Structures are given as C-alpha cells and as structure tokens.
C-alpha cells in the first residue's frame, strides 16, 4: 500500500531521524519546518532517491499555517494516511513567573498544533478507513516535572488527546499512539552544562542520553500497517 506521512518539526533532532526512518520505508513525505531552510535542504539531499517528498515552511502553532500544510500535502500526494506530530518547544521556569503569553506559546506549539493537524487529517482518514497518528509527548507528560509545569501540562494534554482520539477513531481503522522520550541528545538539550549532563546521566539506567534514531525506530514501528497498538503512551527512556 502506498503511504504518505506528514512530519512536523522535520528539519532537526527527533523529527529529522523520523523523516529518515520513514524515507527508508518508502513513505511519501511532507516535511514541515519552521525556519531552518539550510537544514531542510541538507535533509532533502540525504533522502533524495529514497522517497518522494515535499517541504513546507509553516508555523504549525497557527491553525491557518497547519491548514496550508494539509492542503499542500493533499495537492501533491492526493491523500495523507500518517501524521507525526513532533514539533515542540521546551519551556523551563518557575510557575509563578508564567504569563498568559507563555501559556499561549507553549500550548499552541506543543498541543494546538497536534489538535489542528489531527482535526484536518482525521476526516480523510475516517473516509479511507485507515490511519496512523503518532504524537511526540515526553516522559514529563507522564510524570510531571518541577520548573516545567507548562511544558509537562502540554505533553499531558497530548497523551489525553492520544487516548481519547484512539477510542473514537480506532473503529475507523485509525490507531493513535504517543511516544514519551526521556532525555534525548538534540538541540533542545544543548543548554545543559557538562556537569548537569553527568548528573542527569547518573539517573538514567543506561547511563547516557538517548539518540534521536532510538526514538525514531519506535515511531516508525507505530506507523506499520501490521499494528495492534492504540491509545498508548510509550516510554522511550531506557528506564529513566
Ligand atoms: P528540537 O528543538 O531539535 O526540534 C524541535 C523541532 O520542532 C524543530 O525542528 C523546530 O523548528 C520545530 N518547531 C518548533 N515549533 C514549531 C512550530 N511552531 N512550527 C513548526 N515547527 C516547529 O528538539 P527535539 O528534541 O528533536 O524535539 C522533538 C520533539 O520531541 C518535541 O516535541 C519535544 O518536546 C519532544 N521531546 C524531546 C525530548 C528531548 O530530550 N530532546 C524529550 C521528550 C520529548
């Protein structure tokens, strides 16, 4: 079966690794990126010859931009059966310093983006009686974290979306799952000092940060046609 996936936040980190994993599986891909033109060009060069693709520059926290992405995907490939909601921002700070602006920024980027993309894609998936949706949540979406209240809440919301949407859409052949990475070696964590990093690594049973490819392999599995997993939030933490 011919497959088409939209991947948000495709240019770097976990999204880039997911893109390469799905390119190797022969998916047609819609690569959504916010502003890293150079990085998306180098990714296009890496996957060229493996699959068809379309890169779209968009801010998926904006419903208008998300709709533009979906329409461009439909124009190019005719259908979308797989949605990977990966775009996200981290946000660290004391709760009593949060504002309505920080709420909007974090919730719109980490949650509204996924809500909107699911809303757009689910109508066609229901009509086609097939779909795979993977939301990239976080270990903090499962456990909660001090000084990351908004981030954790946005990632909790993604898990709620995942469970409820799967309950509603699985009867139409659409399976919705979340992955919950622990600490992964991407730009999102480049602010850690060497000392902070060692401190965190001591708490990870495997003794190191995860690699983006180690998250991508789980996401890729959750896109399979042969799948009997739905509504789950799968930890990708090596036991952290
Ligand atoms: P990253 O910062 O390297 O990548 C995030 C990507 O999302 C970037 O390409 C960025 O441009 C894109 N993005 C952000 N806002 C966007 C917007 N409004 N519109 C379009 N694209 C947007 O970080 P990453 O570690 O690769 O993060 C990927 C996902 O994994 C995020 O949702 C993040 O919350 C989640 N995650 C990461 C970790 C970790 O330790 N790195 C742990 C748990 C969850």
């Amino acid at each position: 079966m011919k497959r088409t996936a939209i991947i948000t936040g495709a240019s770097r980190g976990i999204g880039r690794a997911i893109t390469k994993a799905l390119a190797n599986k022969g998916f047609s891909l819609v690569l959504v990126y916010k502003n890293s033109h150079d990085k998306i060009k180098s990714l296009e060069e890496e996957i060229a010859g493996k699959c068809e693709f379309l890169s779209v520059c968009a801010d998926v926290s904006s419903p208008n931009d998300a709709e533009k992405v979906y329409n461009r995907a439909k124009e190019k490939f005719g259908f979308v059966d797989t949605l990977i909601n990966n775009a996200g921002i981290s946000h660290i700070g004391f709760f009593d310093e949060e504002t309505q602006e920080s709420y909007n920024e974090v919730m719109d980027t980490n949650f509204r983006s996924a809500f909107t993309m699911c809303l757009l894609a689910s109508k066609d998936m229901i009509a086609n009686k097939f779909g795979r949706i993977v939301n990239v949540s976080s270990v903090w979406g499962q456990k909660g974290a001090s000084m990351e209240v908004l981030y954790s809440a946005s990632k909790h919301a993604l898990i709620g979306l995942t469970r409820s949407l799967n309950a509603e859409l699985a009867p139409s052949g659409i399976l919705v799952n979340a992955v919950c990475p622990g600490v992964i070696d991407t730009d999102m964590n480049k602010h850690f000092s060497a000392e902070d990093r060692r401190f965190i690594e001591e708490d990870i049973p495997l003794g190191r940060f995860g690699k983006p490819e180690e998250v991508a392999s789980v996401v890729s599995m959750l896109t399979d046609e042969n799948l009997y997993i739905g509504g789950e939030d799968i930890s990708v933490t090596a036991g952290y």
Side-chain angles (χ1 to χ4, degrees), residues 8-15 32-36 58-62 85-90 109-110 136-139 151 155 158 180-189:
T8 67
S11 66
R12 67 184 205 199
I14 293 169
V32 186
Y33 68 105
K34 195 171 172 191
N35 42 32
S36 316
D59 173 353
V60 287
S61 68
S62 144
N85 290 311
N86 164 75
I89 50 169
S90 75
T109 305
N110 293 357
V136 180
S137 176
S138 164
V139 63
Y151 179 79
K155 295 297 186 177
L158 277 179
C180 298
V183 193
I184 310 301
D185 213 349
T186 68
D187 286 356
M188 193 169 268
N189 290 322

Coordinates of all heavy atoms in Angstrom, one line a residue, residues 8-15 32-36 58-62 85-90 109-110 136-139 151 155 158 180-189, ligand 1:
T8 N 5.9 16.9 11.4 CA 6.1 18.3 11.8 C 7.4 18.4 12.6 O 7.8 17.5 13.3 CB 4.9 18.9 12.7 OG1 4.9 18.2 13.9 CG2 3.6 18.8 11.9
G9 N 8.1 19.6 12.4 CA 9.4 19.7 13.1 C 10.4 18.8 12.5 O 11.2 18.1 13.2
A10 N 10.4 18.7 11.1 CA 11.2 17.6 10.5 C 12.7 18.0 10.3 O 13.5 17.1 10.1 CB 10.6 17.3 9.1
S11 N 13.1 19.2 10.4 CA 14.4 19.6 10.0 C 15.6 19.1 10.9 O 16.7 18.9 10.4 CB 14.5 21.2 9.9 OG 14.4 21.7 11.2
R12 N 15.3 18.9 12.2 CA 16.4 18.5 13.0 C 15.9 17.6 14.1 O 14.7 17.3 14.3 CB 17.0 19.8 13.6 CG 16.1 20.5 14.6 CD 16.8 21.8 15.1 NE 16.2 22.1 16.4 CZ 16.2 23.3 17.0 NH1 16.8 24.3 16.3 NH2 15.7 23.6 18.1
G13 N 16.9 17.1 14.9 CA 16.6 16.3 16.1 C 15.8 15.1 15.8 O 16.0 14.3 14.8
I14 N 14.7 14.9 16.7 CA 13.9 13.6 16.6 C 13.1 13.6 15.2 O 13.0 12.6 14.6 CB 13.0 13.6 17.8 CG1 13.8 13.3 19.1 CG2 12.0 12.4 17.6 CD1 13.1 13.5 20.4
G15 N 12.6 14.8 14.8 CA 11.8 14.8 13.6 C 12.7 14.5 12.4 O 12.2 13.8 11.5
V32 N 7.6 19.3 7.4 CA 7.2 20.6 7.8 C 8.3 21.2 8.7 O 8.7 20.5 9.7 CB 5.9 20.5 8.6 CG1 5.4 22.0 9.0 CG2 4.8 19.8 7.9
Y33 N 8.7 22.4 8.4 CA 9.8 23.0 9.2 C 9.4 24.5 9.4 O 8.7 25.1 8.6 CB 11.1 22.9 8.4 CG 11.3 23.7 7.2 CD1 12.0 24.9 7.1 CD2 10.6 23.3 6.0 CE1 12.1 25.6 6.0 CE2 10.7 24.0 4.8 CZ 11.4 25.2 4.8 OH 11.5 25.9 3.7
K34 N 10.0 25.1 10.5 CA 9.5 26.4 10.8 C 10.4 27.5 10.1 O 9.9 28.4 9.5 CB 9.6 26.6 12.3 CG 8.8 27.9 12.8 CD 8.7 27.9 14.3 CE 8.2 29.2 14.8 NZ 8.3 29.4 16.2
N35 N 11.7 27.3 10.2 CA 12.6 28.3 9.6 C 14.0 27.9 9.2 O 14.7 28.7 8.7 CB 12.7 29.6 10.4 CG 12.8 29.3 11.9 OD1 13.5 28.3 12.2 ND2 12.3 30.1 12.8
S36 N 14.3 26.6 9.4 CA 15.7 26.1 9.2 C 15.8 25.7 7.7 O 15.9 24.5 7.4 CB 16.0 25.0 10.1 OG 15.6 25.2 11.4
A58 N 6.2 26.3 7.6 CA 5.0 26.6 8.3 C 5.2 26.7 9.8 O 6.0 25.9 10.3 CB 3.9 25.6 7.9
D59 N 4.4 27.5 10.5 CA 4.4 27.5 11.9 C 3.1 26.8 12.3 O 2.0 27.3 12.2 CB 4.3 29.0 12.4 CG 4.1 29.1 13.9 OD1 3.8 28.1 14.5 OD2 4.1 30.3 14.4
V60 N 3.3 25.5 12.7 CA 2.1 24.7 13.0 C 1.3 25.1 14.2 O 0.2 24.5 14.5 CB 2.4 23.2 13.0 CG1 2.7 22.7 11.6 CG2 3.5 22.8 13.9
S61 N 1.8 26.0 15.0 CA 1.0 26.5 16.1 C -0.1 27.4 15.6 O -1.1 27.7 16.3 CB 1.9 27.3 17.1 OG 2.3 28.5 16.6
S62 N 0.0 27.8 14.4 CA -1.1 28.6 13.7 C -2.0 27.7 12.9 O -1.6 27.0 12.0 CB -0.4 29.7 12.8 OG -1.2 29.9 11.7
N85 N 3.0 14.2 14.8 CA 3.0 15.5 15.5 C 4.2 15.5 16.4 O 4.2 15.1 17.6 CB 1.7 15.6 16.3 CG 0.5 15.8 15.4 OD1 0.6 16.6 14.4 ND2 -0.5 15.0 15.6
N86 N 5.3 16.0 15.8 CA 6.6 16.1 16.6 C 7.0 17.5 17.0 O 7.8 17.6 18.0 CB 7.7 15.4 15.7 CG 9.1 15.7 16.1 OD1 9.6 15.2 17.1 ND2 9.8 16.7 15.5
A87 N 6.6 18.5 16.3 CA 7.1 19.9 16.5 C 6.8 20.2 18.0 O 5.7 19.9 18.5 CB 6.4 20.9 15.6
G88 N 7.8 20.8 18.6 CA 7.6 21.2 20.0 C 8.7 22.1 20.5 O 9.7 22.2 19.9
I89 N 8.4 22.8 21.6 CA 9.4 23.7 22.2 C 9.5 23.3 23.7 O 8.5 22.9 24.3 CB 9.1 25.2 22.1 CG1 7.6 25.5 22.5 CG2 9.4 25.7 20.7 CD1 7.4 27.0 22.7
S90 N 10.7 23.5 24.3 CA 10.8 23.3 25.7 C 10.6 24.6 26.4 O 10.7 25.7 25.7 CB 12.2 22.7 26.1 OG 13.1 23.7 26.0
T109 N 2.1 25.7 20.5 CA 3.1 25.0 19.8 C 3.0 23.5 20.1 O 3.1 22.6 19.1 CB 4.5 25.5 20.2 OG1 4.6 26.9 20.0 CG2 5.6 24.8 19.3
N110 N 2.9 23.1 21.3 CA 3.0 21.7 21.7 C 1.7 20.9 21.6 O 1.7 19.7 21.4 CB 3.6 21.5 23.1 CG 5.0 22.0 23.2 OD1 5.6 22.4 22.2 ND2 5.6 22.0 24.4
V136 N 4.3 13.1 19.6 CA 5.6 13.0 20.4 C 5.3 13.8 21.7 O 5.3 15.0 21.7 CB 6.8 13.5 19.6 CG1 8.0 13.5 20.4 CG2 6.9 12.7 18.3
S137 N 5.1 13.1 22.7 CA 4.9 13.7 24.0 C 6.2 13.7 24.8 O 7.3 14.0 24.2 CB 3.8 12.8 24.8 OG 3.6 13.3 26.1
S138 N 6.3 13.3 26.0 CA 7.5 13.3 26.8 C 7.3 12.5 28.1 O 6.2 12.4 28.6 CB 7.8 14.8 27.2 OG 8.8 14.9 28.2
V139 N 8.4 12.1 28.7 CA 8.4 11.5 30.0 C 7.7 12.4 31.0 O 7.0 12.0 31.9 CB 9.8 11.1 30.4 CG1 10.7 12.3 30.6 CG2 9.7 10.3 31.7
Y151 N 5.2 23.0 30.1 CA 5.7 22.0 29.1 C 5.1 20.7 29.5 O 4.5 20.0 28.6 CB 7.2 21.9 29.2 CG 7.8 20.8 28.3 CD1 8.0 21.1 26.9 CD2 8.2 19.6 28.7 CE1 8.5 20.1 26.0 CE2 8.7 18.6 27.9 CZ 8.9 18.9 26.6 OH 9.4 17.9 25.7
K155 N 2.3 18.3 27.4 CA 2.6 17.0 26.9 C 1.6 16.0 27.6 O 1.3 14.9 27.0 CB 4.1 16.6 27.3 CG 5.1 17.4 26.6 CD 5.1 17.2 25.1 CE 6.2 17.9 24.3 NZ 6.2 17.6 22.9
L158 N -1.3 16.0 25.3 CA -1.1 15.2 24.1 C -1.4 13.7 24.4 O -2.0 13.0 23.5 CB 0.4 15.3 23.7 CG 0.8 16.4 22.8 CD1 2.3 16.3 22.5 CD2 0.0 16.5 21.5
C180 N 6.9 8.8 24.4 CA 7.3 9.7 25.5 C 8.8 9.6 25.7 O 9.2 8.7 26.6 CB 6.5 9.3 26.8 SG 4.7 9.5 26.6
P181 N 9.6 10.3 25.0 CA 11.0 10.2 25.1 C 11.5 10.7 26.5 O 10.9 11.6 27.1 CB 11.6 11.2 24.0 CG 10.4 11.3 23.1 CD 9.2 11.3 23.9
G182 N 12.6 10.2 27.0 CA 13.3 10.7 28.2 C 14.2 11.8 27.8 O 13.7 12.8 27.2
V183 N 15.5 11.7 28.0 CA 16.4 12.8 27.7 C 17.1 12.4 26.4 O 17.9 11.4 26.4 CB 17.4 13.1 28.8 CG1 18.1 14.4 28.6 CG2 16.6 13.1 30.2
I184 N 16.9 13.1 25.4 CA 17.4 12.8 24.1 C 18.4 13.8 23.6 O 18.3 15.0 23.9 CB 16.3 12.6 23.0 CG1 15.2 11.7 23.5 CG2 16.8 12.1 21.7 CD1 15.5 10.3 23.9
D185 N 19.5 13.4 23.0 CA 20.6 14.2 22.6 C 20.3 15.1 21.4 O 20.6 14.7 20.3 CB 21.9 13.4 22.3 CG 23.1 14.1 22.7 OD1 23.0 15.3 23.0 OD2 24.2 13.5 22.8
T186 N 19.5 16.2 21.6 CA 19.2 17.1 20.5 C 19.5 18.5 20.9 O 19.8 18.8 22.1 CB 17.7 17.0 20.1 OG1 16.9 17.5 21.2 CG2 17.2 15.5 19.9
D187 N 19.2 19.4 20.0 CA 19.4 20.9 20.3 C 18.6 21.3 21.5 O 19.0 22.3 22.1 CB 19.0 21.7 19.0 CG 20.1 21.6 17.9 OD1 21.1 21.0 18.2 OD2 19.9 22.2 16.9
M188 N 17.5 20.6 21.7 CA 16.6 21.0 22.8 C 17.3 20.9 24.1 O 17.0 21.6 25.1 CB 15.4 20.1 22.8 CG 14.3 20.6 23.7 SD 12.7 19.7 23.5 CE 11.9 20.7 22.3
N189 N 18.4 20.0 24.2 CA 19.1 19.9 25.5 C 20.5 20.4 25.4 O 21.3 20.1 26.3 CB 19.1 18.4 25.8 CG 17.7 17.9 26.2 OD1 17.0 18.6 26.9 ND2 17.3 16.7 25.9
Ligands
LIG1 P1 14.5 20.2 18.5 O1 14.3 21.5 19.2 O2 15.7 19.8 17.9 O3 13.3 20.0 17.4 C1 12.0 20.6 17.5 C2 11.6 20.9 16.1 O4 10.2 21.4 16.2 C3 12.4 21.9 15.4 O5 12.7 21.5 14.1 C4 11.6 23.2 15.4 O6 11.8 24.0 14.4 C5 10.2 22.6 15.3 N1 9.2 23.5 15.7 C6 9.1 24.1 16.9 N2 8.0 24.9 16.9 C7 7.4 24.8 15.7 C8 6.3 25.4 15.1 N3 5.5 26.3 15.7 N4 6.0 25.1 13.8 C9 6.8 24.2 13.1 N5 7.9 23.6 13.7 C10 8.2 23.9 14.9 O7 14.1 19.2 19.7 P2 13.7 17.6 19.6 O8 14.4 17.1 20.8 O9 14.0 17.0 18.3 O10 12.2 17.6 19.9 C11 11.2 17.0 19.1 C12 10.0 16.6 19.9 O11 10.4 15.7 21.0 C13 9.4 17.9 20.7 O12 8.0 17.8 20.7 C14 9.9 17.7 22.1 O13 9.1 18.3 23.1 C15 9.9 16.2 22.2 N6 10.8 15.7 23.3 C16 12.2 15.9 23.2 C17 12.9 15.4 24.3 C18 14.4 15.6 24.3 O14 15.0 15.3 25.4 N7 15.1 16.1 23.3 C19 12.4 14.7 25.3 C20 11.0 14.5 25.3 C21 10.2 15.0 24.3

